Amino acid sequence: MRSIAEALASMLPAFSPLGEEEVHLSASAGRYLSRDVLARFDAPPFDNSAMDGYAVRTADVAGAGPDAVVRLPVLGESRAGGPLPSELNPGTACRIFTGAFLPTGADTVVMQEDAERVGDEVLMRTAAPRGAHIRAQGSDLKSGSVLVRAGDRLWPGEIGLLASQNIGQVHVFRRPEVALLSTGDELRELGEDLPPGTIINSNAYALSEMLRDLGAIPLVLPAVADTLPEIEAALRRALEADVVITLGGVSVGAYDFVQEAFANVGIEPGFWKVRMKPGKPLVFAQYEGKPVIGVPGNPISAMVTFEVLIAPCLRAMLGDRRPHPEPVVARLRESYHRRPGRVEIARAVATREGGELTVTLHKRQGSGSLTSFVGVNALVILPADRADLAAGELVEAILWGPGLRAERSCFEAIG
Ligand code: AMP
Ligand code: MG
């Protein structure tokens, strides 16, 4: 049986990025760049004022002091979007506002709080160092430098930067379409009657949201009964997608036909079973290089294996340079006793206490409890060889779902 790391190492090569497409910046959020994007021009694109005040030549105010007032005639104005049409003549000042083009000839800005305006003149009582209150052209960014790298995800900050560079189209990796095929005689769709013995196909809803969250495109197929012909027919349809995930029917029960159906359709087995809890009976297979994953149907197992094994693979396919989760270190609030042997991924609620994270494991760690995922914001990784974990021990956790949230403003104590 493979460890989680070994399973990931076997799976990842099947998840190469799919190639690129060009999208408009306004449709690029959450996508991964397929090419480095370079600055088209300097930022700021021109020397401009960081203050409201007066643009002058340093030499003209060099003699100013408390007892030596320098008077300069104010000739013209430069405001954001309305530059002074001419050069600044020696011995004159130009009224200037934040963001405005620094007139040619001016080399410093005196903030208006340090100047006194009297009619058509401005009076200065302090000298001004060269370059004061000026945002120099290219001081933030030089033309040609890398703005965002291939394999980076586009968030609002990156999108704002690209927009500021007049970049309207970006090359991003194509989003994989992922077929979700639920199997089980007991499954019914939302809104249907539930005769005794039937349940709602809730996995289809949970996992399609997990897919959307990553940036993949879910293709939810109608659930199929536990018969080989039905599963095989649905698999053929599912194989039109870039990745296939089946749900249920991968254990050793008399009605677990998924692996047999894989074989009948020509899907080649990779491995079965991972040394993890929950989620042990996961199957990985390939059809002409296309990844096909058989996930256990239990909703907890399905969500945990998705997060631990499938999400990193899909992130790699989406073009992420760093597809693996970065676990945080947290302190276990209560002791926990378990059977050692497999890595256990436990649902927990993480809170910040003092300077560190504390995790409280959900009371029901059995894989039968659907309520045990509600409000969960951390998946705690419990090492395979540990049976007894003491309260206060440090553990690793993957922050998940809603993340960390507080009831009070974090600024209250800061002021
Ligand atoms: P299986 O992996 O098919 O043995 O299913 C394990 C458990 O998960 C059973 O109790 C199933 O009823 C349940 N289950 C299977 N598929 C789904 C699904 N799509 N949604 C919700 N529960 C499911
Ligand atoms: Mg089943």
Side-chain angles (χ1 to χ4, degrees), residues 182-183 186-187 199-204 247-251 256 296-299:
S182 303
T183 69
E186 74 279 32
L187 301 179
I199 61 169
I200 297 289
N201 177 9
S202 61
N203 280 341
L247 291 152
V250 287
S251 295
D256 290 336
N298 177 286

Side-chain angles (χ1 to χ4, degrees), residues 6-288:
E6 288 162 351
L8 273 171
S10 306
M11 293 165 75
L12 273 164
F15 289 84
S16 310
L18 294 170
E20 61 177 9
E21 61 185 346
E22 213 179 333
V23 295
H24 191 263
L25 196 59
S26 59
S28 71
R31 304 294 297 269
Y32 292 86
L33 284 181
S34 55
R35 305 180 185 185
D36 290 353
V37 182
L38 308 185
R40 289 187 174 168
F41 44 78
D42 289 346
F46 47 86
D47 289 352
N48 69 95
S49 179
M51 287 285 176
D52 295 325
Y54 295 88
V56 297
R57 292 169 184 257
T58 313
D60 288 337
V61 295
D67 304 319
V69 178
V70 169
R71 310 172 79 96
L72 298 174
V74 180
L75 298 184
E77 171 182 288
S78 181
R79 60 188 164 81
L84 186 73
S86 56
E87 192 172 323
L88 182 83
N89 290 324
T92 71
C94 170
R95 182 78 170 112
I96 197 163
F97 300 98
T98 305
F101 191 92
L102 185 77
T104 313
D107 60 5
T108 190
V109 170
V110 177
M111 50 198 275
Q112 65 188 38
E113 291 84 343
D114 292 339
E116 186 187 343
R117 181 70 181 260
V118 179
D120 292 341
E121 288 186 328
V122 61
L123 279 52
M124 314 278 184
R125 291 189 176 80
T126 51
R130 187 185 307 277
H133 308 308
I134 292 171
R135 300 191 285 224
Q137 175 176 342
S139 56
D140 190 23
L141 191 66
K142 290 273 181 265
S143 177
S145 59
V146 177
L147 294 174
V148 193
R149 287 176 59 186
D152 281 344
R153 196 172 195 184
L154 295 174
W155 297 96
E158 285 77 10
I159 290 172
L161 175 64
L162 296 177
S164 76
Q165 285 281 317
N166 206 6
I167 294 168
Q169 296 283 124
V170 283
H171 288 91
V172 293
F173 288 111
R174 207 157 68 68
R175 303 164 68 197
E177 188 180 49
V178 182
L180 277 180
L181 174 62
S182 303
T183 69
D185 290 342
E186 74 279 32
L187 301 179
R188 296 293 179 273
E189 292 310 319
L190 262 187
E192 284 183 11
D193 286 341
L194 291 174
T198 60
I199 61 169
I200 297 289
N201 177 9
S202 61
N203 280 341
Y205 296 89
L207 291 207
S208 53
E209 287 318 315
M210 291 176 85
L211 284 168
R212 250 190 282 276
D213 211 47
L214 287 175
I217 305 168
L219 172 70
V220 181
L221 299 174
V224 291
D226 290 311
T227 70
L228 277 174
E230 276 206 46
I231 302 172
E232 288 169 24
L235 278 174
R236 290 196 180 91
R237 161 88 180 83
L239 284 167
E240 290 167 20
D242 299 303
V243 178
V244 177
I245 298 176
T246 66
L247 291 152
V250 287
S251 295
V252 290
Y255 297 92
D256 290 336
F257 293 129
V258 166
Q259 293 193 78
E260 198 178 335
F262 281 6
N264 294 348
V265 171
I267 299 171
E268 288 166 24
F271 64 81
W272 180 41
K273 291 187 179 170
V274 182
R275 223 159 45 235
M276 66 184 285
K277 186 188 169 184
K280 182 170 97 173
L282 180 123
V283 181
F284 175 66
Q286 275 172 276
Y287 181 80
E288 295 171 0

